[in-house]
Amino acid sequence: QVQPVESGGGLVQTGGSLRLSCAASGRTAGHYTIAWFRQAPGKEREFVAAIRWSSRTTVYADSVKGRFTISRDNTRNTVYLQMNSLKPDDTAIYYCAEGTGIILSSIRDHVHYDYWGQGTQVTVSS
């Protein structure tokens, strides 16, 4: 497997929850990082959350802090994004991305990620 593969998107009402999964490639060398980005129609791709594979250090966008939780299961090479208290503004295609050698100050910038999944649609109805 070369590209990460996302799953778990769907339609949910405001205030509901979803859990996204990212089946990662298993590349774990260096500052291996997996992140979630999202892109809504007509908007730029936006950082959501990231996790360092080795240290489990996590970083969140201010817009999701306290509502979303990123975690990893190294036995399954899978990263999860638990999304609670969803809002219509969370509606977007969510992408999983992998990168290595990314320093913390650059972790929110999508240009540093080398491998991307196809995305999974999340729709939050009002």
Side-chain angles (χ1 to χ4, degrees), residues 1-122:
Q1 176 186 336
V2 177
Q3 310 300 125
V5 178
E6 306 96 337
S7 62
L11 173 64
V12 65
Q13 291 185 332
T14 297
S17 298
L18 281 175
R19 188 177 78 160
L20 305 183
S21 299
C22 172
S25 66
R27 291 177 282 252
T28 58
H31 292 305
Y32 178 66
T33 302
I34 294 186
W36 288 95
F37 290 81
R38 66 187 182 186
Q39 189 164 19
K43 295 188 177 181
E44 294 187 354
R45 191 164 296 191
E46 175 189 24
F47 171 78
V48 176
I51 186 167
R52 284 280 183 89
W53 194 261
S54 56
S55 67
R56 296 192 182 188
T57 298
T58 57
V59 178
Y60 295 93
D62 288 344
S63 59
V64 307
K65 203 172 292 183
R67 300 188 298 123
F68 292 10
T69 302
I70 189 170
S71 62
R72 66 131 169 96
D73 182 341
N74 63 334
T75 62
R76 298 173 184 263
N77 276 346
T78 299
V79 168
Y80 302 101
L81 184 68
Q82 178 66 44
M83 306 186 295
N84 299 327
S85 302
L86 283 162
K87 307 173 183 179
D89 283 350
D90 295 317
T91 295
I93 298 175
Y94 283 69
Y95 297 92
C96 179
E98 299 183 14
T100 56
I102 303 174
I103 60 176
L104 277 178
S105 60
S106 298
I107 209 167
R108 292 177 174 85
D109 192 343
H110 67 89
V111 301
H112 298 289
Y113 291 83
D114 302 311
Y115 302 95
W116 291 81
Q118 293 300 307
T120 185
Q121 176 71 47
V122 171

